[in-house]
Each structure stands twice: as C-alpha cells, then as structure tokens.
Amino acid sequence: MLDCTPKEIIKRSGGMINPAKTCQPIGAMYAALGIHNCLPHSHGSQGCCAYHRSHLTRHFREPVMATSSSFTEGASVFGGGGNLKTAIKNVFSIYNPDVMAVHTTCLSETIGDDLPSIIKGAEVPEGKLVIHASTPSYQGSHITGFSNMVKGMVTYLAKATRDEKKEQVNIIPGFVNPGDMREIKRLGGELGVRSIIFPDTSGVLDSPMIGKFNMFPAGGAKVEDIRDSGNSKLTIALGYYASSDSAHLLERNCQVPAITLKTPIGIKATDDFLMTLRSKFVQEIPNQLEEERGQLVDVITDNHHHFYGKKVALFGDPDILTGLTEFILSLGMQPVHVLTGTPAGTLTGSGIFEKEIKEMLAAAGHEGRVKAAGDLFELHQWIKNEPVDLLMGNTYGKYIARAEDLPFVRVGFPILDRGVHSYLPIVGYRGAMRLVEMISDTLLDRQDRDAADEDLELVM
Amino acid sequence: MINVSTAVPNDNLIVERQSSILVKGGQRKNQLKCDAESIAGCVSQRACVYCGARVVLNPVTDAIHLVHGPMGCASYTWDIRGSLSSGSELYRNSFCTDLKENDIIFGGEKKLARAIDELVEKYESELVFVYSTCVVGVIGDDLEAVCKTAAHKHGIQVLPVQSSGFIGNKSAGYRAACDALLRLIEPPGGARPINSRRPVKSVNYLGDFNLAGEAWIIKDYLKRIGVEVNVVFTGDSNYRDLKKAPEASLNIMQCAGSMAYIARRMEELYSIPSLQISFLGLEDTAASLCKIADFFGEPEMMRRAEELIKEETIAVQPEMGRYHEKLAGKKAAIYVGGGFKAISLIKQFRELGIDVVMVGTQTGREVEYQTLHDISDDGTVILDDANPSELERFMTEKGAHLLVGGVKERPLAYKLGVAFIDHNHDRKHPLSGYVGAVNFAREVYSTVCSPVWKYARETGGGLYAVENSELPER
C-alpha cells in the first residue's frame, strides 16, 4: 500500500516528510537559463548540478546545460576558489557562452567562498560576463533561488544610462513555464507595449526541433535588453516571492518604479496585469484581448455547474497558488486546503502568503487550512481529516490522489510524469481557459468512470 | 599513453579530456584514462557520493531512508529509482531533516535525533539509514553517535551512511552504501564464516535493483533450475531478508560497479564466493545460467538450465527475428553509468544486428574499459565521463541511429534526430532475461523506426529541409 500516512495529526519538529519544495540552486539554474547564450554554473559538488539538470530535464523534456565546480575534498577544506577559476576559464574556452551565471550551494556557502572576489580575480575574456547569486540550500526554497538569480541579473547587468525613462516595461514573470513566459510576452505584444521580459526561458526550454542540438537555443532574454531594463518606465513583478525582490532592487539601483502583481492566473489577476499596462502605457485594450476575455467568461459560464461547491486542495509554489486560489474561488469552488513548502517569510517579507490566501477565502465566505513551509505528509493528513473533491498540484500529488482516490489536476513544478504542459500557458485568459478545460475534464472523466451503466450520460 | 590527438581530431575538445577518449583500431591496447576526477567547468553527466549511496540503498523497501541535510538532496531522490516492491512501500517516501541556517550554525545533531524519534514512532520500521550530505560533512555532525544513541533508544538498527557529496564520485557512494549494508548483515557477535549453510542451493543476487521488476524475472529463472535466491541486493529487499545474507552459499553479481566491493568483503568475512553474471541479452543470460549451474556442479541443475535456455530461446526467437530483420545494420551509441552494463549492451545489440559506434560510461573501471576495447569493432569511439558536446559530436560523426542512456541524455538524442532508450531509472519495462531481451528489442524498434523521425530528420522539424544539413546519412 502506497499510503503510509496516518490520519492523526501530531506536531513534528524533526524535518520534512514528502516535501512541497526543493532547494535554492535549481531555481537559480532555471532563472539563468532564461538569459540568451547563458551557461548556468553550480559552485558545489557534482551531484547538485547533476540532480538539478536531471530534475529540470524530466520536467521540461529538453536538454538542460550547466557546469559544475566539481568540488572534491580538497576544495572543501581549502576553499573552492581554485575550482571556480578553472571552471570560468574552461567554460569560456570550451562552450563560449556570453554569460556564465554562477550560483552557490550549501557546501560552498558553508565553507564561506567569497564569490565576488573570486570572480574579480578570474580571467574572464573580453566582452564576456560572469554574474553570480548566493543560493544557500538551507534557506528558502527553489523560489528563493530563482528570485536571487534574478537579483543577480539586476545587480550585474541593469544600468540606468539616461535621464529620461523609455516607454517600455520590464516584466519579471516569476518561476513559471516557458509556455507562460511566452504568453506573458504575447499579451504585452498585443497591447503594443515594448516589454523586456527577464528571465525568459521561452525558446530555451520549449525549443523547437531543428534537427540539431544547440547548446544555446535561440530564446532567452538578451543581455542588452536586461541592461536596458534600467531605462524602463516601470517594472511589473509577477509574483511576490519569485519576482518582487529583484523589481525593488531595480527600483533602488536604477530608479525604475516597481509594482508587484499576482501571477496572472485567472480572470482577475490577468485583468490586473493588463489594466496596469494600460494605465501606464496605452489607451485601450485591443479587441483581440477583449475577445479572449469574453471567451473565457463564456466557457466558465457554460461549465460553472460542474464546479459549484466542489472542495479543492491546492499545493505548490506560493505565487502560483495565490493566483490559482483566486481563480478557483471565481469558479465557485472551495479551496479548503492550500499549502506551499516555501517558507512564507522570505528574505524580505513576513507571512504574506498565508495572510493573502486567508483574506481571499474569508472574502468568499469560506474557511480553509493555509500553510507555508508545509509538506505533503501534512497536506495528506489534512485531506484525510477533511476530504476534497479535487487535488491540484505538481506530480508528487499523485501519491495522495491515489491513496484517497481523488481526481487530480497537474499544475506547477515539477511535473515529471506528463509531457507537453511546459509548452502551454496557465497564465492569461487563454491559460485560464486551459485550466477550465483541465479541471472540468478531470471532474467529468471521474464522473463517467464512476457512473453505473444506467447513470452514464451522453450529454454533460 | 597513445597519441590520441591523431586518433581523435581535437577541435572543440577540452585538452584535458583527450586522454579520456579513444578510437578503437591501430592501438596496441586500451589506455583510456578513467576513474579520474571530472574537470571543473565541464558539463559532466556524473553525480556525487550521496547519489551513489542513495541509488544502492533506496530499494530496501521497509527502511526509513532519512536524508540529513537541506531539502534538495532528499527531494531530487524522492522515488525516482524505479525499483519495485512486493511488500512495504515505505522507501517511496521522502524523509529529510530539512536543515536550516540555524542548524548549520549550531549543528544538526539534535534535529536529526528528533527526526529519527518521530519517524520511528510513526512507521514502526526496524531499520533507518541516515544519509550524510555535503553540508553535514562540513559542519561535522557526529552521525555515528546520534545513530548509536537512537538505535539503543528504539531497539532497532540505525545506520549512518557516510555519503557527503564532495568526498569522491558516485563510486565512493556505492562503497559507502556497501559499508552500511555490511554493518547491517553482520550477525550478532561479529562477522565469521557460516559453517552450517542452509541445505538448499541459495544465492545472494547482488546488483539488481528490481527496476520494473527485473529481479523477479531472474528469481523465477533461478528457481526453475533449482536455485533459491536468499536475498537481492537491494531490489525488493527488506530488513529481515538482508539479515540472512551471510547464510547464502554463493553471491552472483549483476552490477559490478556498485557491488564488487561488498562481494569481496563477503568472501573475506563469510567465505561466500562470487560470480560475475549478467542477465542482459540472450547470450549473457544463457551463459550466466550455465555458469551458476556449473558452480554448483550438479548435472541435474545443468540439465534444467539447458532446458530453460532452450525453451525460453525458442519462445522469443520469432519476435527477436522480426526485430533483427528491421534493425540489422542500424548503428547504436551507448552512454551508461557503469562499464559492465556497457559490455552487455554491446553483445545485446549484436544479437539484433546493430553495430555499436560509440560507447562510454560515467564511472567505468579500467578492467571494464579493457573489455570494452577488446569486444568493440574497429572505429568505435570509447570515452569516459563524456559531456554532451562530445556525445553530440561522436553520435553525429558516426551516424548513430540510437542512443542508450539515462535521463539527461534523452532530450539531447532527440534534438539530434536520434532515437533513445532509457537503460537507467526511467526504464519502463524489465530489460533483464529473455522477456527483457524482447522488451529491449521492441523498445529499440519502436523508437528507431518511429514515424516521428520522418519529420524530425528530413526537414529538421521545419517545413523545409535544413540547408547544408549536418545530419549524417541514415
């Protein structure tokens, strides 16, 4: 029996069982892949790099290139400076990226390698860049690591080079799939706003088949664009946890005003995103987007009777969950359990995740369990104590779904057991329409499966 | 050392890497550099000590596998092994002390002790493995002491696994795992040769992790020839069965990379001899069954082995023949973890009429590279600890139709328009024995002859053929 989780909830203090998060460096590696011609570099043991590459490969089903400092016992005693310098030399002479994005690991953080001075002392070829982010695995989660690497991009690259700001917006999309980044870019394009999206893994981790292997695929945010982000009129950070720190850093360094919005999942969050762009840049929302919104509202209307009153358990990354909770509520469903593994008080903020979700639930007249820094063992116990009609989250939810015989919609990171998802968005109106389809199909497939012969309906 | 620069043109190759690559033919003998540390700044496909230890021990089904460190190491290894259980599913959970900054500063021993207490209370397991990670190795938590105290307190076995990532490569992790297993199987009162072995012919089957149920297939074959499997290391094993390991009369070993050390130690400690066998492919499976029967020296057993071989071979021949027809003349590239698997795969491809044009491993040993060199055709590229650029280059140069590898190699092959088969954790069917040989052939056929390549290769995925296509003739 796969179900090893007892129903009775006892307070624990000895670590995690079945995590709902992973460590910082993988987030940093993912963010770095969103720079054009960039090679991520893991400053630690070889295993970290191998695990992150494998995990990202399983999720995206794309080659994931990254190098490692390949720490040995010697490096761990005497410091990893020598390994990093050798690595910098090798990376540029062999792979020749434009940027090498170094992130640390728990090992190199604990032995206290001073990356800025190691990088300063290394031979970096003319015109090439080495950026870095400090990403100790014992703080935060993969979302923190993503945020820290984006901060590294701002610190090293963004420059304000003129007095007057340009009519352009920076959009920091957060830890979402390339399909989502592509959609966010498209929305900006439909509005006719010049936007700089960074990091941007579209065209890198959803690259097309071209009959050959490109170490550096065509996509990714260009270095000159990230530089130019210092001249933009506005930065929109999508997602508090993955994006707002870097937006505020850009505000401090280059005086680009920052706004933090929810990851645009669902009607309201997408409205907020587009209306923010409208209010700062354009007069009107183009017909195309009006039409998409209308279609979304139409399909929700057509299907709302399937959703009403259904109880849902949600888990995953905090920014995704905030948007998703709002959207689930708008469908008439009840998110009764919402859990993230990422600690709520990241480096800047306090427990904004729990507060925000609880407020949404309260506004809809619901109560629910909400927790940051939780694990799936706990979520499973919650579900045993208060059953739900639907589970939404990453691949690891399949154990709970099976144990409790729940309909299960895969959303978030990582999804290791299904393909295609990373190419298609869940953000924007079209992404929301996709979510509606995923949720209603899942619920109705279950209804069909469980129906007795005499109850099986053709028209639903 | 051979002058490899004449054997392999060195453009785009890292100078330090040249001695790790050679082309068969002309050289007197194999002098490939292997078992060396990776070069910093390379895209290596290798992993770490912890990874090696975890893959060996994780299939022990009823153990609490507790990772002492930050969350990452536990999350990346959560149920990715693909090893199946006939009993407990406890090993498929992810347990971690989830060390935080304060633990790094003040030490993680207390948290570890609490974690063990809480888990033991919940799961009533008789065995806990506590894996050390990089950061634990640096801050110097005394795993040994914490485990000893916990074992005493709960009256169960709590074994530390010294697997800090930086203390070596994956092979060092195999050894760390084997050390933990050796402690586990040690009888009360210390290790000594067992005088009264059980009357049945019983073997320990080392180095099968029961991926997709492979160990079960082999167990059945052995039963049919009159051999009982005492315990498998470590596929579908459990605490009680592992404890019986010293009672076996023979160790047979599939994955030598991970198990050669423990086999040697068991011979020293318990006088159990060991045989290297391989159940990959028809040829090796048949040879291995005969080898085992030969060891026991019983004519009846040999007769039954021969009967089994005949029966099973006849059963699979028609299907194997069909695949041979379709696949003969195709070219394969191999990049796997250990050397012994690579050797078996070369033979297995020959059975299908497929030529191996490139073969490499992450952690193959010198003796295995010697064999690889001996059995390879002239012109075959042999390489150790390859990086993706090298794999790309030699697959393209040699016109490979298929790559055998692990998770990180799959999309690389696909991008090149090369078919792929997973011979690692992500395999979906058993690849051992006769049924495995057919599964293997079917999977090779289904990927090599998939209609998708029509779109992927001829036009490189686009509407028009890629100009100056770099794709080799296929």
Side-chain angles (χ1 to χ4, degrees):
Chain A
M1 172 89 166
L2 263 174
D3 182 6
C4 299
T5 307
K7 184 176 174 185
E8 191 196 349
I9 300 173
I10 302 169
K11 199 169 159 32
R12 288 179 285 139
S13 65
M16 291 269 182
I17 304 176
N18 300 344
K21 67 163 184 184
T22 183
C23 65
Q24 282 209 47
I26 197 172
M29 186 181 282
Y30 179 54
L33 288 163
I35 303 176
H36 182 63
N37 267 349
C38 174
L39 189 61
H41 179 85
S42 167
H43 187 51
S45 295
Q46 226 165 19
C48 308
C49 187
Y51 278 136
H52 303 149
R53 290 179 58 215
S54 293
H55 215 57
L56 292 171
T57 298
R58 286 187 169 110
H59 177 83
F60 296 108
R61 307 194 177 200
E62 289 286 307
V64 173
M65 293 300 128
T67 50
S68 165
S69 287
S70 300
F71 268 47
T72 55
E73 205 144 19
S76 310
V77 175
F78 302 112
N83 286 45
L84 185 53
K85 282 178 184 165
T86 309
I88 291 173
K89 185 172 143 275
N90 279 335
V91 160
F92 287 110
S93 69
I94 305 157
Y95 304 113
N96 198 29
D98 292 340
V99 187
M100 177 176 172
V102 183
H103 61 262
T104 58
T105 57
C106 41
L107 176 57
S108 53
E109 285 287 336
T110 307
I111 63 176
D113 279 351
D114 176 9
L115 260 67
S117 57
I118 298 170
I119 293 169
K120 217 167 265 172
E123 289 172 48
V124 180
E126 187 71 26
K128 301 291 180 180
L129 295 163
V130 178
I131 69 173
H132 101 279
S134 173
T135 53
S137 319
Y138 44 75
Q139 282 175 349
S141 74
H142 55 298
I143 299 300
T144 324
F146 183 94
S147 168
N148 284 338
M149 182 50 86
V150 183
K151 276 161 71 185
M153 295 175 198
V154 169
T155 305
Y156 279 88
L157 303 175
K159 298 277 182 301
T161 56
R162 42 190 280 164
D163 296 336
E164 209 166 300
K165 296 296 181 193
K166 291 187 187 173
E167 277 298 307
Q168 65 188 23
V169 63
N170 306 322
I171 302 173
I172 303 174
F175 197 129
V176 291
N177 278 325
D180 295 311
M181 297 190 186
R182 203 176 272 277
E183 181 67 2
I184 289 164
K185 201 156 52 175
R186 186 186 70 88
L187 292 173
E190 293 286 354
L191 279 171
V193 182
R194 174 171 153 67
S195 48
I196 295 172
I197 298 187
F198 72 96
D200 176 9
T201 57
S202 68
V204 180
L205 289 166
D206 63 354
S207 70
M209 177 72 89
I210 53 169
K212 60 178 185 177
F213 165 63
N214 267 350
M215 179 107 182
F216 305 107
K222 301 227 159 50
V223 169
E224 64 257 35
D225 287 338
I226 304 177
R227 277 213 176 98
D228 198 33
S229 68
N231 295 321
S232 297
K233 206 170 97 176
L234 176 72
T235 302
I236 299 181
L238 295 176
Y240 176 84
Y241 285 91
S243 304
S244 67
D245 279 4
S246 46
H248 286 110
L249 185 64
L250 192 52
E251 185 166 45
R252 279 200 297 282
N253 290 0
C254 302
Q255 295 74 50
V256 179
I259 298 180
T260 302
L261 298 175
K262 289 191 194 80
T263 305
I265 295 171
I267 307 174
K268 184 164 183 301
T270 306
D271 287 352
D272 290 348
F273 173 55
L274 294 177
M275 295 309 268
T276 302
L277 284 172
R278 196 195 78 139
S279 69
K280 303 286 178 183
F281 294 94
V282 288
Q283 297 304 312
E284 278 181 46
I285 300 289
N287 265 342
Q288 167 74 27
L289 297 181
E290 284 284 8
E291 191 174 54
E292 285 174 23
R293 187 182 195 276
Q295 285 181 317
L296 171 62
V297 175
D298 194 79
V299 300
I300 295 176
T301 316
D302 292 344
N303 292 283
H304 72 280
H305 55 287
H306 300 311
F307 300 131
Y308 185 78
K310 291 274 193 291
K311 289 183 177 178
V312 190
L314 304 167
F315 71 94
D317 297 334
D319 295 335
I320 305 285
L321 288 176
T322 309
L324 201 55
T325 303
E326 189 175 70
F327 183 50
I328 291 294
L329 285 166
S330 74
L331 294 177
M333 302 167 94
Q334 285 185 45
V336 293
H337 310 305
V338 185
L339 179 141
T340 181
T342 297
T346 49
L347 303 175
T348 52
S350 54
I352 187 168
F353 171 78
E354 282 140 307
K355 184 168 168 279
E356 202 168 6
I357 304 258
K358 277 188 177 149
E359 279 172 5
M360 282 188 227
L361 294 180
H366 298 309
E367 278 182 15
R369 291 182 170 91
V370 184
K371 186 169 181 179
D375 58 23
L376 295 189
F377 179 86
E378 184 163 16
L379 180 70
H380 195 170
Q381 291 191 312
W382 289 355
I383 292 172
K384 280 179 187 289
N385 286 281
E386 183 175 359
V388 294
D389 303 302
L390 178 70
L391 175 67
M392 294 180 78
N394 64 36
T395 282
Y396 295 111
K398 80 191 285 180
Y399 301 110
I400 299 175
R402 187 179 172 94
E404 305 305 323
D405 195 21
L406 292 176
F408 175 39
V409 169
R410 285 168 177 77
V411 58
F413 174 87
I415 294 176
L416 311 171
D417 59 342
R418 296 290 188 274
V420 195
H421 55 86
S422 58
Y423 285 74
L424 301 173
I426 59 166
V427 300
Y429 302 126
R430 284 190 179 173
M433 213 190 283
R434 182 168 164 248
L435 282 172
V436 170
E437 187 182 22
M438 285 157 64
I439 296 169
S440 69
D441 282 3
T442 304
L443 291 171
L444 295 178
D445 279 350
R446 173 57 60 105
Q447 195 178 318
D448 280 344
R449 191 199 79 176
D450 292 349
D453 280 0
E454 62 271 28
D455 293 331
L456 186 74
E457 298 200 58
L458 177 70
V459 181
M460 296 171 88
Chain B
M1 210 58 166
I2 54 159
N3 184 358
V4 278
S5 60
T6 57
V8 180
N10 65 3
D11 54 304
N12 294 327
L13 285 181
I14 305 153
V15 180
E16 292 91 329
R17 289 275 314 139
Q18 285 177 31
S19 52
S20 299
I21 303 167
L22 61 78
V23 177
K24 162 125 184 207
Q27 292 111 31
R28 274 196 308 277
K29 63 182 234 206
N30 164 35
Q31 286 179 318
L32 190 82
K33 185 174 151 200
C34 62
D35 209 9
E37 283 165 9
S38 298
I39 299 160
C42 280
V43 184
S44 169
Q45 309 293 77
R46 276 183 180 169
C48 63
V49 181
Y50 163 73
C51 176
R54 187 75 203 251
V55 296
V56 169
L57 294 177
N58 198 67
V60 181
T61 57
D62 60 353
I64 291 169
H65 297 269
L66 174 59
V67 180
H68 186 37
M71 198 68 239
C73 300
S75 69
Y76 304 120
T77 48
W78 178 7
D79 202 22
I80 60 159
R81 190 70 174 99
S83 51
L84 304 188
S85 167
S86 59
S88 175
E89 301 280 359
L90 188 56
Y91 71 118
R92 301 183 66 180
N93 289 280
S94 175
F95 305 119
C96 180
T97 49
D98 188 26
L99 294 184
K100 301 284 173 49
E101 194 152 27
N102 268 349
D103 306 315
I104 306 301
I105 297 166
F106 300 110
E109 292 175 10
K110 283 186 182 142
K111 196 170 187 186
L112 173 59
R114 279 203 307 277
I116 297 171
D117 290 349
E118 289 176 7
L119 290 170
V120 169
E121 190 183 339
K122 259 185 211 81
Y123 296 111
E124 294 174 4
S125 176
E126 293 174 282
L127 173 62
V128 183
F129 288 115
V130 178
Y131 298 80
S132 169
T133 57
C134 284
V135 74
V136 167
V138 172
I139 63 176
D141 278 358
D142 189 347
L143 248 59
E144 199 68 53
V146 176
C147 290
K148 198 174 165 189
T149 308
H152 188 71
K153 180 173 173 186
H154 299 288
I156 60 167
Q157 225 161 349
V158 183
L159 295 170
V161 184
Q162 301 297 350
S163 53
S164 288
F166 58 85
I167 58 171
N169 63 15
K170 201 170 168 182
S171 302
Y174 297 150
R175 193 177 168 126
C178 288
D179 280 329
L181 287 169
L182 282 165
R183 284 173 73 167
L184 172 64
I185 65 174
E186 186 176 317
R192 64 196 177 281
I194 308 290
N195 295 323
S196 53
R197 295 199 192 280
R198 287 180 300 157
V200 287
K201 311 289 173 219
S202 94
V203 300
N204 295 322
Y205 179 23
L206 312 186
D208 188 319
F209 304 99
N210 202 33
L211 306 188
E214 289 175 343
W216 295 332
I217 295 170
I218 305 311
K219 265 174 129 166
D220 173 63
Y221 291 163
L222 294 174
K223 192 175 165 199
R224 282 161 63 187
I225 68 168
V227 175
E228 184 200 312
V229 172
N230 183 44
V231 63
V232 181
F233 279 63
T234 51
D236 191 25
S237 65
N238 58 51
Y239 176 75
R240 294 270 156 101
D241 287 348
L242 283 165
K243 279 283 189 194
K244 295 186 302 189
E247 296 168 19
S249 38
L250 173 68
N251 283 332
I252 57 171
M253 176 168 63
Q254 171 78 45
C255 174
S258 58
M259 290 286 154
Y261 166 70
I262 199 169
R264 198 182 70 236
R265 291 293 291 146
M266 282 164 82
E267 180 147 19
E268 288 162 9
L269 297 169
Y270 306 110
S271 308
I272 304 175
S274 71
L275 285 183
Q276 170 83 64
I277 46 81
S278 169
F279 291 109
L280 299 176
L282 304 178
E283 184 189 329
D284 278 1
T285 301
S288 297
L289 289 169
C290 291
K291 203 169 172 182
I292 293 163
D294 192 49
F295 171 86
F296 286 109
E298 287 184 4
E300 170 61 12
M301 191 186 284
M302 186 58 88
R303 192 194 60 74
R304 285 162 75 173
E306 280 163 0
E307 192 176 305
L308 185 155
I309 292 163
K310 196 171 152 199
E311 200 174 292
E312 294 285 341
T313 308
I314 288 169
V316 300
Q317 249 163 6
E319 204 172 349
M320 291 296 279
R322 280 201 299 280
Y323 294 127
H324 188 285
E325 215 167 90
K326 302 276 188 194
L327 294 169
K330 301 281 186 200
K331 296 172 190 167
I334 297 171
Y335 189 72
V336 291
F340 201 75
K341 187 193 279 179
I343 294 166
S344 272
L345 280 169
I346 291 183
K347 295 188 206 165
Q348 206 169 351
F349 277 123
R350 285 212 178 117
E351 289 168 4
L352 291 169
I354 295 175
D355 301 322
V356 173
V357 292
M358 185 202 92
V359 57
T361 80
Q362 289 175 30
T363 53
R365 297 168 304 162
E366 201 178 336
V367 51
E368 291 160 345
Y369 274 108
Q370 186 61 54
T371 311
L372 281 174
H373 188 261
D374 292 344
I375 64 171
S376 290
D377 298 325
D378 276 359
T380 299
V381 175
I382 305 172
L383 69 183
D384 181 62
D385 186 23
N387 60 55
S389 316
E390 290 163 2
L391 296 178
E392 177 200 4
R393 175 172 161 194
F394 294 118
M395 280 195 286
T396 309
E397 260 180 37
K398 295 284 172 186
H401 298 91
L402 170 75
L403 174 68
V404 184
V407 54
K408 296 192 290 296
E409 286 80 52
R410 180 192 292 268
L412 172 71
Y414 287 167
K415 289 289 183 206
L416 295 170
V418 170
F420 183 85
I421 175 166
D422 193 299
H423 214 293
N424 206 344
H425 312 309
D426 290 1
R427 72 184 65 171
K428 294 299 162 236
H429 333 272
L431 300 174
S432 289
Y434 293 93
V435 55
V438 175
N439 286 339
F440 181 78
R442 185 185 303 124
E443 199 174 339
V444 169
Y445 169 72
S446 69
T447 177
V448 169
C449 299
S450 165
V452 72
W453 304 123
K454 181 172 156 47
Y455 301 98
R457 281 184 197 139
E458 288 171 11
T459 61
L463 274 174
Y464 305 103
V466 182
E467 270 179 56
N468 304 321
S469 173
E470 290 163 30
L471 289 171
E473 284 292 309
R474 285 173 211 273

